């Protein structure tokens, strides 16, 4: 566990924390819940699938312990969950890279959160988890970096409660590549495959808009990777599904 993770875990313990998965007193994620996390990923196609979406991969279904971890980091600021979630995203990205990415550098690009949301939360969980996933890929020999290449344009509303059609309409044209980030990337990686990263895949509208914005500036988007996908995205009986 990295130093930040140790400090987060110690703070959670000293403050009387409980496991985000099962409410057991102690660590923010107890050993039984940690041991039960998935260790491989599967394709997780939305139904219906947005036209042109590259293959999406996810490590788990969005329920149970994994759902509690995602919400614990995003809504409760349980920073000790960054490590476990980064591990799950790295698992999804590994599956995506193995299936879709030619040998060479990989850039993990988090979907951007609205600035007001980041300010309200006091942190950017999607970027933090994506950066952690990139570090895990580098540890196993993959030339991977995380890059904040996308920004949101004004006018996007909260997605909660919107169906697939409404989400697509809300997000259409809502993202663009930040020029400074793109210049930095091109200095560091002349040729690279991009994997769009998110915490939860639902209808695929967010991922598709991120893919569109990246492709609009000439980047090759190879795949989507998510920590989790809503359960109906997984074939029945598959790992991570029912």
């Amino acid at each position: 566990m990295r130093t930040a993770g140790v400090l987060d875990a110690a703070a959670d313990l000293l403050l009387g924390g409980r496991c985000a998965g099962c409410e057991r007193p102690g660590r923010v994620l107890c050993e039984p819940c940690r041991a039960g996390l998935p260790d491989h990923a599967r394709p997780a196609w939305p139904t219906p699938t947005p036209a042109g979406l590259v293959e999406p991969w996810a490590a788990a279904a969005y329920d149970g312990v994994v759902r509690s971890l995602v919400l614990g980091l995003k809504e409760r600021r349980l920073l000790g969950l960054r490590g476990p979630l980064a591990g799950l995203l790295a698992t999804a990205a590994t599956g995506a890279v193995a299936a879709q990415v030619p040998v060479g550098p990989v850039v993990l690009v988090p979907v951007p959160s609205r600035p007001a949301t980041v300010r309200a939360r006091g942190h950017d969980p999607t970027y933090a988890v994506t950066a952690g996933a990139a570090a895990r890929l580098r540890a196993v020999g993959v030339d991977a970096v995380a890059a904040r290449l996308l920004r949101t344009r004004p006018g996007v509303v909260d997605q909660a409660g919107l169906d697939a059609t409404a989400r697509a309409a809300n997000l259409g044209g809502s993202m663009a590549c930040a020029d400074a980030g793109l210049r930095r990337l091109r200095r560091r990686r002349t040729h690279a495959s991009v994997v769009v990263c998110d915490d939860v895949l639902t209808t695929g509208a967010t991922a598709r808009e991120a893919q569109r914005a990246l492709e609009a500036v000439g980047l090759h988007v190879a795949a989507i990777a998510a920590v989790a996908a809503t359960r109906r995205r997984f074939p029945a009986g598959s790992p991570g599904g029912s």
Side-chain angles (χ1 to χ4, degrees), residues 216-236:
V217 295
L219 295 175
H220 169 61
V221 180
I224 310 296
V227 169
T230 50
R231 182 169 286 278
R232 67 191 180 93
R233 315 302 170 200
F234 285 95

Side-chain angles (χ1 to χ4, degrees), residues 99-112:
Q100 299 293 337
V101 178
V103 175
V106 178
V107 181
L108 304 186
V109 178
V111 298

